[in-house]
Amino acid sequence: MPDIVIHVVACALYAALAAHLWLTRWRVPSGRWRKEATSGPAPLAAWERAALLVPIALHGWLLYDGIFASETLRFGFAQALSVMLWLAMAILWLEGLAYRIELLYPMALAAAAVCAPLPAFFPGRPAPEAYPIEFRLHLLAGMLAYSLFTVATLHAVLISVMERQLHAHATVADRGMPLLSLEALVFRLTAAAFVVLTLTFAVGIAYSENMVGRALRFDHKTVFVVLSWLTFGLLLAGRWLYGWRGRTAFRWTLAGFVMLMLAYPGSRFVLEVILGRG
């Protein structure tokens, strides 16, 4: 079966599950509204949890075949976004075993449906040299940090939506995890992502110094990564020292995430699609 077909199948499964969970967890029929609002969204059924694994497995196999099993490294903006959302979905699936995050799945699945097939349409240019497995693992570690920040940002967006609903006295805000529990989870995810990004940054500096003789290349990708690292570091410090939460925490989280997206995915998109260079 051609890879393009598997990409489309994974995309379609993600989209179908996003629609299903949106209709069953967010859009509650009027006759069931009061009962659902007080009892919270129904937890994932066993078949729903199993169904989530199907596109995640297909998506993972495609990424492994295209990145790790391939002799030539192709890792442009499409591969970066695809890996990020695959890891994010895997993290959310595991997180769902311990936390009630049913309201988060439609948003995450919709994003995965968009990003999963991107490598089929934007394969990227092959790297001019063969990179060792250590460099590919470094990329994967970096994408893990990106994915953790993606999951944290999705949680922050959900909190913002629920707070708006709460201020509007809408019953949807009463469903799902308590806001304070969600907020604490956001900061735990952000702290974990910050640690992984710091380690990845340090390893990348060491690798670059050994391979090309200089620790950092001063370009806009590096600038945005450093700015994002500083933003998330200040967010965590603000939470620890001043108890930042609510809109303040959401704005800092969103700002750090946007700068992170402008770093590797953004720079590669400009080079590959707008400028037509590898």
Side-chain angles (χ1 to χ4, degrees), residues 2-12 62 74 76-79 82 112-125 269 272-273:
D3 283 354
I4 182 68
V5 176
I6 304 176
H7 277 98
V8 172
V9 170
C11 170
L62 286 167
R74 292 175 179 266
F77 84 95
Q79 289 76 18
S82 189
V114 172
C115 294
L118 287 178
F121 301 99
F122 300 97
R125 293 189 179 183
F269 177 82
E272 294 172 34
V273 178

PDB file of all heavy atoms in Angstrom, residues 2-12 62 74 76-79 82 112-125 269 272-273:
ATOM      1  N   PRO A   2       0.679   2.205  -0.931  1.00  0.00           N
ATOM      2  CA  PRO A   2       1.514   3.405  -0.960  1.00  0.00           C
ATOM      3  C   PRO A   2       1.398   4.193   0.335  1.00  0.00           C
ATOM      4  O   PRO A   2       0.346   4.215   0.987  1.00  0.00           O
ATOM      5  CB  PRO A   2       0.921   4.196  -2.143  1.00  0.00           C
ATOM      6  CG  PRO A   2       0.181   3.197  -2.962  1.00  0.00           C
ATOM      7  CD  PRO A   2      -0.315   2.168  -2.006  1.00  0.00           C
ATOM      8  N   ASP A   3       2.516   4.867   0.699  1.00  0.00           N
ATOM      9  CA  ASP A   3       2.522   5.641   1.935  1.00  0.00           C
ATOM     10  C   ASP A   3       1.470   6.735   1.939  1.00  0.00           C
ATOM     11  O   ASP A   3       0.901   7.060   2.986  1.00  0.00           O
ATOM     12  CB  ASP A   3       3.914   6.251   2.154  1.00  0.00           C
ATOM     13  CG  ASP A   3       4.902   5.219   2.666  1.00  0.00           C
ATOM     14  OD1 ASP A   3       4.487   4.083   2.945  1.00  0.00           O
ATOM     15  OD2 ASP A   3       6.093   5.555   2.774  1.00  0.00           O
ATOM     16  N   ILE A   4       1.195   7.320   0.764  1.00  0.00           N
ATOM     17  CA  ILE A   4       0.219   8.406   0.700  1.00  0.00           C
ATOM     18  C   ILE A   4      -1.157   7.922   1.158  1.00  0.00           C
ATOM     19  O   ILE A   4      -1.888   8.644   1.833  1.00  0.00           O
ATOM     20  CB  ILE A   4       0.148   8.992  -0.736  1.00  0.00           C
ATOM     21  CG1 ILE A   4      -0.829  10.160  -0.796  1.00  0.00           C
ATOM     22  CG2 ILE A   4      -0.245   7.922  -1.733  1.00  0.00           C
ATOM     23  CD1 ILE A   4      -0.390  11.370  -0.035  1.00  0.00           C
ATOM     24  N   VAL A   5      -1.485   6.675   0.842  1.00  0.00           N
ATOM     25  CA  VAL A   5      -2.779   6.120   1.259  1.00  0.00           C
ATOM     26  C   VAL A   5      -2.820   5.971   2.783  1.00  0.00           C
ATOM     27  O   VAL A   5      -3.831   6.294   3.423  1.00  0.00           O
ATOM     28  CB  VAL A   5      -3.037   4.767   0.572  1.00  0.00           C
ATOM     29  CG1 VAL A   5      -4.336   4.144   1.073  1.00  0.00           C
ATOM     30  CG2 VAL A   5      -3.086   4.944  -0.943  1.00  0.00           C
ATOM     31  N   ILE A   6      -1.713   5.498   3.362  1.00  0.00           N
ATOM     32  CA  ILE A   6      -1.670   5.328   4.821  1.00  0.00           C
ATOM     33  C   ILE A   6      -1.746   6.692   5.505  1.00  0.00           C
ATOM     34  O   ILE A   6      -2.399   6.848   6.549  1.00  0.00           O
ATOM     35  CB  ILE A   6      -0.402   4.576   5.235  1.00  0.00           C
ATOM     36  CG1 ILE A   6      -0.315   3.230   4.504  1.00  0.00           C
ATOM     37  CG2 ILE A   6      -0.384   4.331   6.739  1.00  0.00           C
ATOM     38  CD1 ILE A   6       0.951   2.462   4.779  1.00  0.00           C
ATOM     39  N   HIS A   7      -1.091   7.697   4.931  1.00  0.00           N
ATOM     40  CA  HIS A   7      -1.192   9.045   5.481  1.00  0.00           C
ATOM     41  C   HIS A   7      -2.649   9.518   5.485  1.00  0.00           C
ATOM     42  O   HIS A   7      -3.132  10.079   6.476  1.00  0.00           O
ATOM     43  CB  HIS A   7      -0.352  10.030   4.652  1.00  0.00           C
ATOM     44  CG  HIS A   7       1.097  10.047   5.011  1.00  0.00           C
ATOM     45  ND1 HIS A   7       2.037   9.348   4.312  1.00  0.00           N
ATOM     46  CD2 HIS A   7       1.762  10.688   6.000  1.00  0.00           C
ATOM     47  CE1 HIS A   7       3.233   9.559   4.840  1.00  0.00           C
ATOM     48  NE2 HIS A   7       3.089  10.368   5.872  1.00  0.00           N
ATOM     49  N   VAL A   8      -3.341   9.298   4.380  1.00  0.00           N
ATOM     50  CA  VAL A   8      -4.737   9.729   4.277  1.00  0.00           C
ATOM     51  C   VAL A   8      -5.607   8.962   5.253  1.00  0.00           C
ATOM     52  O   VAL A   8      -6.510   9.529   5.888  1.00  0.00           O
ATOM     53  CB  VAL A   8      -5.239   9.567   2.828  1.00  0.00           C
ATOM     54  CG1 VAL A   8      -6.747   9.826   2.746  1.00  0.00           C
ATOM     55  CG2 VAL A   8      -4.494  10.523   1.898  1.00  0.00           C
ATOM     56  N   VAL A   9      -5.358   7.655   5.399  1.00  0.00           N
ATOM     57  CA  VAL A   9      -6.134   6.843   6.339  1.00  0.00           C
ATOM     58  C   VAL A   9      -5.930   7.342   7.770  1.00  0.00           C
ATOM     59  O   VAL A   9      -6.898   7.501   8.533  1.00  0.00           O
ATOM     60  CB  VAL A   9      -5.753   5.351   6.222  1.00  0.00           C
ATOM     61  CG1 VAL A   9      -6.372   4.546   7.361  1.00  0.00           C
ATOM     62  CG2 VAL A   9      -6.214   4.790   4.887  1.00  0.00           C
ATOM     63  N   ALA A  10      -4.681   7.598   8.158  1.00  0.00           N
ATOM     64  CA  ALA A  10      -4.406   8.104   9.504  1.00  0.00           C
ATOM     65  C   ALA A  10      -5.089   9.446   9.727  1.00  0.00           C
ATOM     66  O   ALA A  10      -5.694   9.688  10.782  1.00  0.00           O
ATOM     67  CB  ALA A  10      -2.900   8.230   9.720  1.00  0.00           C
ATOM     68  N   CYS A  11      -5.022  10.318   8.721  1.00  0.00           N
ATOM     69  CA  CYS A  11      -5.673  11.621   8.802  1.00  0.00           C
ATOM     70  C   CYS A  11      -7.182  11.458   8.978  1.00  0.00           C
ATOM     71  O   CYS A  11      -7.798  12.117   9.828  1.00  0.00           O
ATOM     72  CB  CYS A  11      -5.364  12.433   7.546  1.00  0.00           C
ATOM     73  SG  CYS A  11      -6.324  13.951   7.379  1.00  0.00           S
ATOM     74  N   ALA A  12      -7.788  10.584   8.177  1.00  0.00           N
ATOM     75  CA  ALA A  12      -9.233  10.381   8.243  1.00  0.00           C
ATOM     76  C   ALA A  12      -9.661   9.810   9.591  1.00  0.00           C
ATOM     77  O   ALA A  12     -10.700  10.209  10.146  1.00  0.00           O
ATOM     78  CB  ALA A  12      -9.676   9.451   7.114  1.00  0.00           C
ATOM     79  N   LEU A  62       4.599   5.385   9.983  1.00  0.00           N
ATOM     80  CA  LEU A  62       4.994   6.230   8.865  1.00  0.00           C
ATOM     81  C   LEU A  62       6.194   7.099   9.227  1.00  0.00           C
ATOM     82  O   LEU A  62       7.119   7.265   8.424  1.00  0.00           O
ATOM     83  CB  LEU A  62       3.811   7.119   8.451  1.00  0.00           C
ATOM     84  CG  LEU A  62       2.679   6.429   7.696  1.00  0.00           C
ATOM     85  CD1 LEU A  62       1.451   7.327   7.644  1.00  0.00           C
ATOM     86  CD2 LEU A  62       3.111   6.045   6.290  1.00  0.00           C
ATOM     87  N   ARG A  74      15.387  13.228   5.858  1.00  0.00           N
ATOM     88  CA  ARG A  74      14.509  14.310   5.416  1.00  0.00           C
ATOM     89  C   ARG A  74      13.753  14.789   6.648  1.00  0.00           C
ATOM     90  O   ARG A  74      12.939  14.057   7.195  1.00  0.00           O
ATOM     91  CB  ARG A  74      13.514  13.825   4.349  1.00  0.00           C
ATOM     92  CG  ARG A  74      14.146  13.458   3.010  1.00  0.00           C
ATOM     93  CD  ARG A  74      13.098  12.887   2.068  1.00  0.00           C
ATOM     94  NE  ARG A  74      13.644  12.543   0.779  1.00  0.00           N
ATOM     95  CZ  ARG A  74      13.641  13.344  -0.290  1.00  0.00           C
ATOM     96  NH1 ARG A  74      13.088  14.548  -0.197  1.00  0.00           N
ATOM     97  NH2 ARG A  74      14.168  12.959  -1.426  1.00  0.00           N
ATOM     98  N   GLY A  76      12.034  18.283   7.411  1.00  0.00           N
ATOM     99  CA  GLY A  76      11.641  19.667   7.229  1.00  0.00           C
ATOM    100  C   GLY A  76      10.510  20.044   8.167  1.00  0.00           C
ATOM    101  O   GLY A  76      10.250  19.377   9.161  1.00  0.00           O
ATOM    102  N   PHE A  77       9.818  21.123   7.825  1.00  0.00           N
ATOM    103  CA  PHE A  77       8.747  21.594   8.699  1.00  0.00           C
ATOM    104  C   PHE A  77       7.618  20.575   8.791  1.00  0.00           C
ATOM    105  O   PHE A  77       7.003  20.408   9.856  1.00  0.00           O
ATOM    106  CB  PHE A  77       8.211  22.944   8.193  1.00  0.00           C
ATOM    107  CG  PHE A  77       7.170  22.824   7.114  1.00  0.00           C
ATOM    108  CD1 PHE A  77       5.818  22.851   7.427  1.00  0.00           C
ATOM    109  CD2 PHE A  77       7.533  22.667   5.783  1.00  0.00           C
ATOM    110  CE1 PHE A  77       4.853  22.745   6.448  1.00  0.00           C
ATOM    111  CE2 PHE A  77       6.580  22.561   4.793  1.00  0.00           C
ATOM    112  CZ  PHE A  77       5.234  22.598   5.122  1.00  0.00           C
ATOM    113  N   ALA A  78       7.333  19.859   7.673  1.00  0.00           N
ATOM    114  CA  ALA A  78       6.243  18.883   7.686  1.00  0.00           C
ATOM    115  C   ALA A  78       6.556  17.723   8.616  1.00  0.00           C
ATOM    116  O   ALA A  78       5.692  17.288   9.399  1.00  0.00           O
ATOM    117  CB  ALA A  78       5.991  18.377   6.265  1.00  0.00           C
ATOM    118  N   GLN A  79       7.783  17.210   8.543  1.00  0.00           N
ATOM    119  CA  GLN A  79       8.166  16.108   9.424  1.00  0.00           C
ATOM    120  C   GLN A  79       8.162  16.564  10.891  1.00  0.00           C
ATOM    121  O   GLN A  79       7.728  15.822  11.781  1.00  0.00           O
ATOM    122  CB  GLN A  79       9.551  15.581   9.047  1.00  0.00           C
ATOM    123  CG  GLN A  79       9.609  14.821   7.739  1.00  0.00           C
ATOM    124  CD  GLN A  79       9.556  15.717   6.516  1.00  0.00           C
ATOM    125  OE1 GLN A  79       9.800  16.926   6.616  1.00  0.00           O
ATOM    126  NE2 GLN A  79       9.245  15.144   5.378  1.00  0.00           N
ATOM    127  N   SER A  82       4.572  16.835  12.090  1.00  0.00           N
ATOM    128  CA  SER A  82       3.985  15.500  12.172  1.00  0.00           C
ATOM    129  C   SER A  82       4.486  14.752  13.395  1.00  0.00           C
ATOM    130  O   SER A  82       3.707  14.126  14.128  1.00  0.00           O
ATOM    131  CB  SER A  82       4.306  14.717  10.894  1.00  0.00           C
ATOM    132  OG  SER A  82       3.597  13.501  10.851  1.00  0.00           O
ATOM    133  N   ALA A 112      -3.866  16.851  14.943  1.00  0.00           N
ATOM    134  CA  ALA A 112      -3.143  15.691  14.422  1.00  0.00           C
ATOM    135  C   ALA A 112      -3.611  15.334  13.022  1.00  0.00           C
ATOM    136  O   ALA A 112      -2.815  14.929  12.166  1.00  0.00           O
ATOM    137  CB  ALA A 112      -3.326  14.499  15.363  1.00  0.00           C
ATOM    138  N   ALA A 113      -4.911  15.480  12.763  1.00  0.00           N
ATOM    139  CA  ALA A 113      -5.447  15.189  11.430  1.00  0.00           C
ATOM    140  C   ALA A 113      -4.845  16.106  10.373  1.00  0.00           C
ATOM    141  O   ALA A 113      -4.620  15.699   9.229  1.00  0.00           O
ATOM    142  CB  ALA A 113      -6.972  15.327  11.439  1.00  0.00           C
ATOM    143  N   VAL A 114      -4.570  17.348  10.757  1.00  0.00           N
ATOM    144  CA  VAL A 114      -3.956  18.299   9.818  1.00  0.00           C
ATOM    145  C   VAL A 114      -2.483  17.979   9.601  1.00  0.00           C
ATOM    146  O   VAL A 114      -1.979  18.025   8.465  1.00  0.00           O
ATOM    147  CB  VAL A 114      -4.128  19.746  10.346  1.00  0.00           C
ATOM    148  CG1 VAL A 114      -3.333  20.728   9.481  1.00  0.00           C
ATOM    149  CG2 VAL A 114      -5.602  20.129  10.370  1.00  0.00           C
ATOM    150  N   CYS A 115      -1.756  17.648  10.675  1.00  0.00           N
ATOM    151  CA  CYS A 115      -0.297  17.510  10.598  1.00  0.00           C
ATOM    152  C   CYS A 115       0.167  16.130  10.143  1.00  0.00           C
ATOM    153  O   CYS A 115       1.259  16.006   9.580  1.00  0.00           O
ATOM    154  CB  CYS A 115       0.323  17.837  11.949  1.00  0.00           C
ATOM    155  SG  CYS A 115       0.124  19.564  12.427  1.00  0.00           S
ATOM    156  N   ALA A 116      -0.625  15.077  10.400  1.00  0.00           N
ATOM    157  CA  ALA A 116      -0.179  13.715  10.076  1.00  0.00           C
ATOM    158  C   ALA A 116       0.178  13.530   8.596  1.00  0.00           C
ATOM    159  O   ALA A 116       1.198  12.911   8.284  1.00  0.00           O
ATOM    160  CB  ALA A 116      -1.233  12.704  10.511  1.00  0.00           C
ATOM    161  N   PRO A 117      -0.636  14.021   7.647  1.00  0.00           N
ATOM    162  CA  PRO A 117      -0.315  13.765   6.234  1.00  0.00           C
ATOM    163  C   PRO A 117       0.654  14.752   5.609  1.00  0.00           C
ATOM    164  O   PRO A 117       1.005  14.603   4.433  1.00  0.00           O
ATOM    165  CB  PRO A 117      -1.688  13.875   5.550  1.00  0.00           C
ATOM    166  CG  PRO A 117      -2.433  14.870   6.368  1.00  0.00           C
ATOM    167  CD  PRO A 117      -1.951  14.687   7.788  1.00  0.00           C
ATOM    168  N   LEU A 118       1.121  15.748   6.354  1.00  0.00           N
ATOM    169  CA  LEU A 118       1.981  16.775   5.757  1.00  0.00           C
ATOM    170  C   LEU A 118       3.230  16.213   5.080  1.00  0.00           C
ATOM    171  O   LEU A 118       3.597  16.682   3.991  1.00  0.00           O
ATOM    172  CB  LEU A 118       2.375  17.807   6.819  1.00  0.00           C
ATOM    173  CG  LEU A 118       1.285  18.787   7.262  1.00  0.00           C
ATOM    174  CD1 LEU A 118       1.828  19.712   8.349  1.00  0.00           C
ATOM    175  CD2 LEU A 118       0.756  19.595   6.091  1.00  0.00           C
ATOM    176  N   PRO A 119       3.939  15.213   5.675  1.00  0.00           N
ATOM    177  CA  PRO A 119       5.140  14.706   4.990  1.00  0.00           C
ATOM    178  C   PRO A 119       4.869  14.093   3.625  1.00  0.00           C
ATOM    179  O   PRO A 119       5.775  14.036   2.786  1.00  0.00           O
ATOM    180  CB  PRO A 119       5.672  13.642   5.971  1.00  0.00           C
ATOM    181  CG  PRO A 119       5.167  14.066   7.299  1.00  0.00           C
ATOM    182  CD  PRO A 119       3.802  14.637   7.026  1.00  0.00           C
ATOM    183  N   ALA A 120       3.635  13.626   3.381  1.00  0.00           N
ATOM    184  CA  ALA A 120       3.315  13.059   2.071  1.00  0.00           C
ATOM    185  C   ALA A 120       3.253  14.137   0.992  1.00  0.00           C
ATOM    186  O   ALA A 120       3.510  13.864  -0.187  1.00  0.00           O
ATOM    187  CB  ALA A 120       1.989  12.314   2.134  1.00  0.00           C
ATOM    188  N   PHE A 121       2.935  15.361   1.386  1.00  0.00           N
ATOM    189  CA  PHE A 121       2.801  16.456   0.422  1.00  0.00           C
ATOM    190  C   PHE A 121       4.007  17.385   0.428  1.00  0.00           C
ATOM    191  O   PHE A 121       4.264  18.077  -0.556  1.00  0.00           O
ATOM    192  CB  PHE A 121       1.527  17.260   0.729  1.00  0.00           C
ATOM    193  CG  PHE A 121       0.272  16.442   0.677  1.00  0.00           C
ATOM    194  CD1 PHE A 121      -0.306  15.950   1.837  1.00  0.00           C
ATOM    195  CD2 PHE A 121      -0.312  16.136  -0.540  1.00  0.00           C
ATOM    196  CE1 PHE A 121      -1.455  15.178   1.784  1.00  0.00           C
ATOM    197  CE2 PHE A 121      -1.464  15.364  -0.596  1.00  0.00           C
ATOM    198  CZ  PHE A 121      -2.037  14.887   0.559  1.00  0.00           C
ATOM    199  N   PHE A 122       4.748  17.401   1.542  1.00  0.00           N
ATOM    200  CA  PHE A 122       5.958  18.220   1.644  1.00  0.00           C
ATOM    201  C   PHE A 122       7.086  17.327   2.142  1.00  0.00           C
ATOM    202  O   PHE A 122       7.438  17.343   3.325  1.00  0.00           O
ATOM    203  CB  PHE A 122       5.736  19.390   2.608  1.00  0.00           C
ATOM    204  CG  PHE A 122       4.623  20.314   2.214  1.00  0.00           C
ATOM    205  CD1 PHE A 122       3.354  20.164   2.765  1.00  0.00           C
ATOM    206  CD2 PHE A 122       4.840  21.330   1.298  1.00  0.00           C
ATOM    207  CE1 PHE A 122       2.323  21.014   2.412  1.00  0.00           C
ATOM    208  CE2 PHE A 122       3.821  22.194   0.938  1.00  0.00           C
ATOM    209  CZ  PHE A 122       2.547  22.030   1.493  1.00  0.00           C
ATOM    210  N   PRO A 123       7.669  16.517   1.246  1.00  0.00           N
ATOM    211  CA  PRO A 123       8.685  15.552   1.693  1.00  0.00           C
ATOM    212  C   PRO A 123       9.981  16.201   2.161  1.00  0.00           C
ATOM    213  O   PRO A 123      10.766  15.577   2.871  1.00  0.00           O
ATOM    214  CB  PRO A 123       8.923  14.689   0.454  1.00  0.00           C
ATOM    215  CG  PRO A 123       8.529  15.563  -0.698  1.00  0.00           C
ATOM    216  CD  PRO A 123       7.416  16.419  -0.196  1.00  0.00           C
ATOM    217  N   GLY A 124      10.203  17.454   1.797  1.00  0.00           N
ATOM    218  CA  GLY A 124      11.447  18.109   2.191  1.00  0.00           C
ATOM    219  C   GLY A 124      12.616  17.636   1.344  1.00  0.00           C
ATOM    220  O   GLY A 124      12.571  16.579   0.712  1.00  0.00           O
ATOM    221  N   ARG A 125      13.655  18.415   1.348  1.00  0.00           N
ATOM    222  CA  ARG A 125      14.844  18.043   0.590  1.00  0.00           C
ATOM    223  C   ARG A 125      15.746  17.160   1.439  1.00  0.00           C
ATOM    224  O   ARG A 125      15.860  17.365   2.641  1.00  0.00           O
ATOM    225  CB  ARG A 125      15.606  19.291   0.147  1.00  0.00           C
ATOM    226  CG  ARG A 125      14.845  20.119  -0.876  1.00  0.00           C
ATOM    227  CD  ARG A 125      15.705  21.207  -1.445  1.00  0.00           C
ATOM    228  NE  ARG A 125      14.995  22.002  -2.435  1.00  0.00           N
ATOM    229  CZ  ARG A 125      15.541  23.000  -3.130  1.00  0.00           C
ATOM    230  NH1 ARG A 125      16.814  23.321  -2.919  1.00  0.00           N
ATOM    231  NH2 ARG A 125      14.829  23.660  -4.013  1.00  0.00           N
ATOM    232  N   PHE A 269       9.577  26.156   7.177  1.00  0.00           N
ATOM    233  CA  PHE A 269       8.466  26.458   6.267  1.00  0.00           C
ATOM    234  C   PHE A 269       8.842  27.604   5.328  1.00  0.00           C
ATOM    235  O   PHE A 269       8.582  27.545   4.123  1.00  0.00           O
ATOM    236  CB  PHE A 269       7.214  26.828   7.073  1.00  0.00           C
ATOM    237  CG  PHE A 269       6.047  27.221   6.217  1.00  0.00           C
ATOM    238  CD1 PHE A 269       5.241  26.252   5.641  1.00  0.00           C
ATOM    239  CD2 PHE A 269       5.761  28.561   5.974  1.00  0.00           C
ATOM    240  CE1 PHE A 269       4.162  26.613   4.835  1.00  0.00           C
ATOM    241  CE2 PHE A 269       4.691  28.930   5.173  1.00  0.00           C
ATOM    242  CZ  PHE A 269       3.890  27.945   4.604  1.00  0.00           C
ATOM    243  N   GLU A 272      11.513  26.158   2.824  1.00  0.00           N
ATOM    244  CA  GLU A 272      11.061  25.123   1.897  1.00  0.00           C
ATOM    245  C   GLU A 272       9.914  25.579   0.997  1.00  0.00           C
ATOM    246  O   GLU A 272       9.887  25.258  -0.193  1.00  0.00           O
ATOM    247  CB  GLU A 272      10.614  23.888   2.682  1.00  0.00           C
ATOM    248  CG  GLU A 272      11.730  23.196   3.424  1.00  0.00           C
ATOM    249  CD  GLU A 272      11.208  22.098   4.324  1.00  0.00           C
ATOM    250  OE1 GLU A 272      10.212  21.450   3.963  1.00  0.00           O
ATOM    251  OE2 GLU A 272      11.795  21.878   5.410  1.00  0.00           O
ATOM    252  N   VAL A 273       8.957  26.303   1.558  1.00  0.00           N
ATOM    253  CA  VAL A 273       7.737  26.618   0.807  1.00  0.00           C
ATOM    254  C   VAL A 273       7.795  28.021   0.207  1.00  0.00           C
ATOM    255  O   VAL A 273       7.524  28.206  -0.977  1.00  0.00           O
ATOM    256  CB  VAL A 273       6.497  26.480   1.721  1.00  0.00           C
ATOM    257  CG1 VAL A 273       5.217  26.865   0.970  1.00  0.00           C
ATOM    258  CG2 VAL A 273       6.382  25.061   2.245  1.00  0.00           C
TER     259      VAL A 273
END
